[in-house]
Amino acid sequence: MAFIAPPGYQPVYNPSVPYVGPIYGGLRERVSVYIQGVIPQDITRFQVNLQCGEAEGCDIAMHFNPRFDDMDKVVFNSFQSGSWESEDNVQDMPFSKGQAFELVIAVTAEGYQVNVNGRQFHHFAHRVPLDRVSALQISGDVSIQTINIIGGGQRGPQGYPGGMGVRGGWGGMGYPGSNLPMIGGTPNYNPPVPYCEVIPGGLSPKRTIIIRGMLPHGATRFVLNFKVGGTEDIAFHMNPRVLEGQVVRNSCLGGTWGQEERELSHNPFLEGQYFDISVRCGNQRFKVFVNGQHLCDFSHRFQPFSQINTLEILGDVQLSYVHF
């Protein structure tokens, strides 16, 4: 199996728009650009460019330009030597005004596969060599929550996998520490719920599990269970309850539930919103980050960690991907 770096330990959260930032290590096959955001009600258009540099007027390998007008459409194009080339016009609008979205641009040998909200939208053939693409630019009527580069084994500065630099007034990364390990494996994209998969090798100190998805409208609750293989024991149970605005944490060992923990500084789980959960196993506790902010700690009630080797996800949730 090819080595794949874990996704997004250094995402960009809530950048200002217009945004431009480098893609450390460049693009290659199996790399994906992952963007979450919200479309405003008064939108006219926005654009996402994969560029050959950060300077204004540089070549653009792929120009992605949704236009909200009398004939809603999405324009794809490239820009080389100071001139726009032939447009690909798609007479289909995958975005809705006032709604959150998830945009994934997956690099293939033939081009860029663009998916919106889990649906394949358009494939744009390569016109510019991949090794020239070095930056991402976003502008127009759009609010961005998360930008991340995943897959392909690229490293950002200070050895971060998949990291991105920033321009445009945003500097903090706000994510788990820089000593996160490199872990092999391929992300499981758009898995169905209920979800239950073995964590290869089980948990170990500093190992991090990434879960991304969204809460559909009408969602009331969902559950993450880190289970002990071969038993029904749950070493760590995390239960966001949307209507109550709480995230309940607990364990269930030997058929008995332990003491619930509910205290939180904030509740990041909202209907119709995408989320990004990072669960890191430490020596004394689990550390949970949501959307780049520390949410809670949960002291270990079960050891050895290696026997905690199954992740179960249940309830009102749509998954974008899970990565061990």
Side-chain angles (χ1 to χ4, degrees):
M1 177 182 293
F3 177 80
I4 304 291
Y9 290 133
Q10 198 183 21
V12 174
Y13 287 101
N14 302 310
S16 59
V17 176
Y19 164 92
V20 62
I23 300 172
Y24 290 107
L27 292 183
R28 59 184 64 84
E29 289 181 52
R30 300 190 306 277
V31 170
S32 294
V33 179
Y34 183 99
I35 300 169
Q36 293 174 327
V38 177
I39 301 296
Q41 287 286 354
D42 57 350
I43 185 173
T44 56
R45 63 178 62 186
F46 74 97
Q47 63 186 24
V48 176
N49 291 328
L50 297 176
Q51 301 188 163
C52 303
E54 299 178 57
E56 187 173 349
C58 65
D59 288 354
I60 299 172
M62 190 195 75
H63 170 75
F64 173 78
N65 180 206
R67 300 178 181 179
F68 289 75
D69 50 32
D70 292 337
M71 297 181 62
D72 289 351
K73 64 181 179 181
V74 178
V75 173
F76 290 81
N77 207 341
S78 55
F79 181 85
Q80 297 192 74
S81 301
S83 298
W84 288 104
E85 300 183 314
S86 59
E87 291 185 348
D88 284 359
N89 291 318
V90 182
Q91 298 293 333
D92 180 18
M93 179 53 67
F95 303 97
S96 298
K97 294 181 179 181
Q99 297 296 311
F101 69 87
E102 173 187 76
L103 170 66
V104 179
I105 304 171
V107 181
T108 72
E110 296 76 26
Y112 301 99
Q113 176 60 53
V114 177
N115 300 338
V116 180
N117 298 334
R119 179 173 70 91
Q120 290 189 355
F121 181 69
H122 183 70
H123 189 273
F124 183 76
H126 288 305
R127 300 178 182 179
V128 175
L130 269 177
D131 59 10
R132 294 189 57 210
V133 181
S134 60
L136 173 69
Q137 190 264 357
I138 303 173
S139 60
D141 305 321
V142 67
S143 174
I144 301 299
Q145 299 169 334
T146 306
I147 303 171
N148 197 11
I149 308 296
I150 60 176
Q154 73 277 15
R155 284 180 178 268
Q158 292 84 43
Y160 283 98
M164 293 191 64
V166 188
R167 299 293 184 270
W170 191 91
M173 291 302 176
Y175 215 67
S178 60
N179 59 343
L180 290 171
M182 299 292 285
I183 304 169
T186 302
N188 185 357
Y189 292 98
N190 302 313
V193 178
Y195 171 94
C196 187
E197 290 290 338
V198 171
I199 302 169
L203 294 183
S204 59
K206 298 184 181 179
R207 188 162 192 180
T208 300
I209 310 299
I210 306 292
I211 302 124
R212 285 199 169 119
M214 78 167 294
L215 294 176
H217 290 285
T220 60
R221 63 178 63 192
F222 72 100
V223 170
L224 306 181
N225 287 327
F226 288 85
K227 304 180 74 172
V228 179
T231 75
E232 291 302 312
D233 285 353
I234 302 172
F236 178 34
H237 166 84
M238 178 174 157
N239 177 206
R241 300 179 181 179
V242 180
L243 299 181
E244 300 173 31
Q246 294 187 324
V247 180
V248 176
R249 292 89 68 195
N250 207 340
S251 62
C252 184
L253 304 175
T256 301
W257 286 99
Q259 180 67 40
E260 285 189 350
E261 299 179 13
R262 292 173 176 252
E263 296 76 15
L264 286 179
S265 61
H266 66 291
N267 172 38
F269 298 103
L270 302 172
E271 290 183 68
Q273 297 294 312
Y274 287 94
F275 61 78
D276 172 347
I277 300 174
S278 168
V279 180
R280 187 181 186 190
C281 180
N283 286 308
Q284 282 79 41
R285 63 188 64 85
F286 292 98
K287 296 187 76 68
V288 180
F289 293 76
V290 180
N291 301 335
Q293 295 185 8
H294 178 252
L295 181 71
C296 63
D297 292 348
F298 185 80
S299 296
H300 289 303
R301 301 179 183 179
F302 180 92
Q303 292 191 34
F305 307 133
S306 60
Q307 293 184 25
I308 306 172
N309 66 355
T310 302
L311 174 61
E312 179 181 60
I313 305 175
L314 309 169
D316 306 324
V317 64
Q318 295 176 3
L319 297 177
S320 300
Y321 73 77
V322 178
H323 193 283
F324 300 133

Short mmCIF file of all heavy atoms in Angstrom, two decimals, residues 37-46 66-70 72 93-101 117 141 217:
data_model
loop_
_atom_site.label_atom_id
_atom_site.label_comp_id
_atom_site.label_asym_id
_atom_site.label_seq_id
_atom_site.Cartn_x
_atom_site.Cartn_y
_atom_site.Cartn_z
N GLY A 37 -17.52 25.83 3.92
CA GLY A 37 -17.90 27.22 4.04
C GLY A 37 -19.40 27.41 4.01
O GLY A 37 -20.18 26.45 4.11
N VAL A 38 -19.81 28.67 3.87
CA VAL A 38 -21.24 29.02 3.83
C VAL A 38 -21.45 30.01 2.69
O VAL A 38 -20.66 30.94 2.49
CB VAL A 38 -21.69 29.66 5.16
CG1 VAL A 38 -23.14 30.09 5.08
CG2 VAL A 38 -21.49 28.68 6.31
N ILE A 39 -22.54 29.80 1.94
CA ILE A 39 -22.92 30.71 0.87
C ILE A 39 -23.86 31.78 1.43
O ILE A 39 -24.90 31.44 2.00
CB ILE A 39 -23.64 29.94 -0.26
CG1 ILE A 39 -22.74 28.84 -0.83
CG2 ILE A 39 -24.09 30.91 -1.36
CD1 ILE A 39 -21.49 29.34 -1.50
N PRO A 40 -23.54 33.07 1.29
CA PRO A 40 -24.44 34.11 1.81
C PRO A 40 -25.70 34.23 0.97
O PRO A 40 -25.75 33.80 -0.19
CB PRO A 40 -23.58 35.38 1.71
CG PRO A 40 -22.60 35.10 0.63
CD PRO A 40 -22.30 33.63 0.70
N GLN A 41 -26.73 34.84 1.55
CA GLN A 41 -27.99 35.01 0.84
C GLN A 41 -27.86 35.96 -0.36
O GLN A 41 -28.54 35.80 -1.36
CB GLN A 41 -29.06 35.56 1.80
CG GLN A 41 -29.55 34.55 2.82
CD GLN A 41 -30.47 33.50 2.21
OE1 GLN A 41 -30.85 33.57 1.04
NE2 GLN A 41 -30.84 32.51 3.01
N ASP A 42 -26.96 36.93 -0.25
CA ASP A 42 -26.84 37.95 -1.31
C ASP A 42 -25.70 37.66 -2.27
O ASP A 42 -25.12 38.58 -2.85
CB ASP A 42 -26.67 39.33 -0.69
CG ASP A 42 -25.45 39.41 0.23
OD1 ASP A 42 -24.86 38.34 0.53
OD2 ASP A 42 -25.10 40.52 0.66
N ILE A 43 -25.37 36.41 -2.47
CA ILE A 43 -24.24 36.05 -3.32
C ILE A 43 -24.50 36.41 -4.78
O ILE A 43 -25.63 36.33 -5.27
CB ILE A 43 -23.93 34.54 -3.20
CG1 ILE A 43 -22.66 34.18 -4.00
CG2 ILE A 43 -25.12 33.70 -3.64
CD1 ILE A 43 -22.20 32.77 -3.79
N THR A 44 -23.44 36.79 -5.47
CA THR A 44 -23.47 36.90 -6.93
C THR A 44 -22.53 35.87 -7.55
O THR A 44 -22.90 35.16 -8.49
CB THR A 44 -23.07 38.31 -7.41
OG1 THR A 44 -21.78 38.65 -6.88
CG2 THR A 44 -24.09 39.33 -6.93
N ARG A 45 -21.31 35.77 -7.01
CA ARG A 45 -20.36 34.75 -7.47
C ARG A 45 -19.18 34.66 -6.52
O ARG A 45 -18.92 35.58 -5.74
CB ARG A 45 -19.87 35.06 -8.89
CG ARG A 45 -19.09 36.36 -9.02
CD ARG A 45 -18.60 36.58 -10.46
NE ARG A 45 -19.69 36.69 -11.42
CZ ARG A 45 -19.52 36.76 -12.74
NH1 ARG A 45 -18.28 36.73 -13.26
NH2 ARG A 45 -20.56 36.87 -13.55
N PHE A 46 -18.48 33.53 -6.57
CA PHE A 46 -17.20 33.41 -5.89
C PHE A 46 -16.30 32.53 -6.74
O PHE A 46 -16.75 31.91 -7.71
CB PHE A 46 -17.34 32.88 -4.46
CG PHE A 46 -17.64 31.41 -4.34
CD1 PHE A 46 -16.63 30.48 -4.11
CD2 PHE A 46 -18.95 30.95 -4.42
CE1 PHE A 46 -16.91 29.12 -3.97
CE2 PHE A 46 -19.24 29.59 -4.30
CZ PHE A 46 -18.22 28.67 -4.07
N PRO A 66 -18.54 29.55 -9.45
CA PRO A 66 -20.00 29.51 -9.42
C PRO A 66 -20.58 30.92 -9.59
O PRO A 66 -20.14 31.86 -8.92
CB PRO A 66 -20.31 28.95 -8.03
CG PRO A 66 -19.04 28.29 -7.59
CD PRO A 66 -17.94 29.10 -8.18
N ARG A 67 -21.57 31.04 -10.48
CA ARG A 67 -22.19 32.34 -10.77
C ARG A 67 -23.69 32.24 -10.55
O ARG A 67 -24.38 31.47 -11.21
CB ARG A 67 -21.89 32.76 -12.21
CG ARG A 67 -20.40 32.90 -12.51
CD ARG A 67 -20.13 33.27 -13.96
NE ARG A 67 -18.69 33.37 -14.23
CZ ARG A 67 -18.19 33.66 -15.44
NH1 ARG A 67 -19.01 33.88 -16.47
NH2 ARG A 67 -16.87 33.71 -15.59
N PHE A 68 -24.19 33.05 -9.63
CA PHE A 68 -25.61 33.10 -9.33
C PHE A 68 -26.21 34.27 -10.09
O PHE A 68 -26.02 35.44 -9.73
CB PHE A 68 -25.83 33.28 -7.83
CG PHE A 68 -25.49 32.08 -6.98
CD1 PHE A 68 -24.18 31.75 -6.73
CD2 PHE A 68 -26.50 31.29 -6.44
CE1 PHE A 68 -23.85 30.65 -5.96
CE2 PHE A 68 -26.19 30.19 -5.66
CZ PHE A 68 -24.86 29.87 -5.42
N ASP A 69 -26.91 33.99 -11.16
CA ASP A 69 -27.57 35.03 -11.94
C ASP A 69 -28.82 34.44 -12.56
O ASP A 69 -29.35 33.44 -12.06
CB ASP A 69 -26.61 35.63 -12.99
CG ASP A 69 -25.93 34.57 -13.83
OD1 ASP A 69 -26.55 33.50 -14.07
OD2 ASP A 69 -24.78 34.78 -14.26
N ASP A 70 -29.30 35.01 -13.63
CA ASP A 70 -30.53 34.51 -14.24
C ASP A 70 -30.38 33.08 -14.75
O ASP A 70 -31.35 32.35 -14.86
CB ASP A 70 -30.97 35.42 -15.39
CG ASP A 70 -31.41 36.79 -14.90
OD1 ASP A 70 -31.79 36.88 -13.71
OD2 ASP A 70 -31.35 37.76 -15.68
N ASP A 72 -28.11 30.29 -13.48
CA ASP A 72 -27.10 29.80 -12.55
C ASP A 72 -26.20 28.77 -13.23
O ASP A 72 -26.69 27.83 -13.89
CB ASP A 72 -27.78 29.15 -11.34
CG ASP A 72 -28.45 30.17 -10.44
OD1 ASP A 72 -28.23 31.37 -10.67
OD2 ASP A 72 -29.17 29.76 -9.52
N MET A 93 -26.24 24.29 -10.60
CA MET A 93 -25.74 25.00 -9.43
C MET A 93 -25.81 24.09 -8.21
O MET A 93 -26.90 23.80 -7.70
CB MET A 93 -26.54 26.28 -9.18
CG MET A 93 -26.08 27.07 -7.96
SD MET A 93 -24.31 27.43 -7.95
CE MET A 93 -24.20 28.57 -9.34
N PRO A 94 -24.67 23.61 -7.72
CA PRO A 94 -24.67 22.68 -6.58
C PRO A 94 -24.76 23.36 -5.23
O PRO A 94 -24.87 22.68 -4.20
CB PRO A 94 -23.33 21.96 -6.74
CG PRO A 94 -22.43 23.00 -7.32
CD PRO A 94 -23.30 23.82 -8.24
N PHE A 95 -24.68 24.71 -5.20
CA PHE A 95 -24.71 25.46 -3.95
C PHE A 95 -26.08 26.11 -3.76
O PHE A 95 -26.75 26.46 -4.72
CB PHE A 95 -23.64 26.55 -3.95
CG PHE A 95 -22.25 26.03 -4.17
CD1 PHE A 95 -21.67 26.07 -5.44
CD2 PHE A 95 -21.51 25.51 -3.13
CE1 PHE A 95 -20.40 25.59 -5.66
CE2 PHE A 95 -20.23 25.02 -3.33
CZ PHE A 95 -19.66 25.07 -4.60
N SER A 96 -26.47 26.31 -2.49
CA SER A 96 -27.74 26.96 -2.16
C SER A 96 -27.47 28.18 -1.30
O SER A 96 -26.65 28.13 -0.37
CB SER A 96 -28.67 26.00 -1.42
OG SER A 96 -28.99 24.88 -2.22
N LYS A 97 -28.16 29.27 -1.59
CA LYS A 97 -27.99 30.50 -0.82
C LYS A 97 -28.32 30.26 0.65
O LYS A 97 -29.32 29.61 0.98
CB LYS A 97 -28.87 31.60 -1.39
CG LYS A 97 -28.48 32.05 -2.79
CD LYS A 97 -29.38 33.18 -3.28
CE LYS A 97 -28.97 33.65 -4.67
NZ LYS A 97 -29.82 34.76 -5.17
N GLY A 98 -27.46 30.79 1.53
CA GLY A 98 -27.68 30.66 2.95
C GLY A 98 -27.33 29.31 3.54
O GLY A 98 -27.55 29.08 4.73
N GLN A 99 -26.73 28.41 2.73
CA GLN A 99 -26.46 27.06 3.20
C GLN A 99 -24.96 26.78 3.29
O GLN A 99 -24.16 27.33 2.54
CB GLN A 99 -27.10 26.03 2.26
CG GLN A 99 -28.61 26.10 2.18
CD GLN A 99 -29.27 25.79 3.51
OE1 GLN A 99 -28.95 24.78 4.15
NE2 GLN A 99 -30.18 26.66 3.94
N ALA A 100 -24.60 25.89 4.22
CA ALA A 100 -23.22 25.42 4.33
C ALA A 100 -22.91 24.50 3.16
O ALA A 100 -23.81 23.89 2.56
CB ALA A 100 -23.02 24.69 5.65
N PHE A 101 -21.63 24.40 2.82
CA PHE A 101 -21.22 23.51 1.74
C PHE A 101 -19.89 22.86 2.08
O PHE A 101 -19.13 23.32 2.94
CB PHE A 101 -21.10 24.27 0.41
CG PHE A 101 -19.95 25.25 0.36
CD1 PHE A 101 -18.66 24.84 -0.02
CD2 PHE A 101 -20.14 26.58 0.69
CE1 PHE A 101 -17.61 25.73 -0.04
CE2 PHE A 101 -19.09 27.49 0.67
CZ PHE A 101 -17.82 27.06 0.30
N ASN A 117 -20.71 18.72 -1.68
CA ASN A 117 -21.65 18.10 -0.74
C ASN A 117 -21.80 16.60 -0.98
O ASN A 117 -22.90 16.05 -0.98
CB ASN A 117 -23.01 18.80 -0.80
CG ASN A 117 -22.93 20.26 -0.39
OD1 ASN A 117 -22.06 20.65 0.36
ND2 ASN A 117 -23.84 21.07 -0.91
N ASP A 141 -18.06 36.26 -3.02
CA ASP A 141 -19.11 36.25 -2.01
C ASP A 141 -19.20 34.88 -1.35
O ASP A 141 -20.04 34.04 -1.71
CB ASP A 141 -20.46 36.60 -2.65
CG ASP A 141 -20.41 37.92 -3.41
OD1 ASP A 141 -19.75 38.85 -2.91
OD2 ASP A 141 -21.04 38.02 -4.48
N HIS A 217 -30.19 19.06 8.92
CA HIS A 217 -31.30 19.74 9.59
C HIS A 217 -32.23 18.69 10.20
O HIS A 217 -32.55 17.68 9.58
CB HIS A 217 -32.04 20.63 8.60
CG HIS A 217 -31.25 21.83 8.19
ND1 HIS A 217 -31.07 22.92 9.03
CD2 HIS A 217 -30.56 22.11 7.05
CE1 HIS A 217 -30.30 23.82 8.42
NE2 HIS A 217 -30.00 23.36 7.22
#
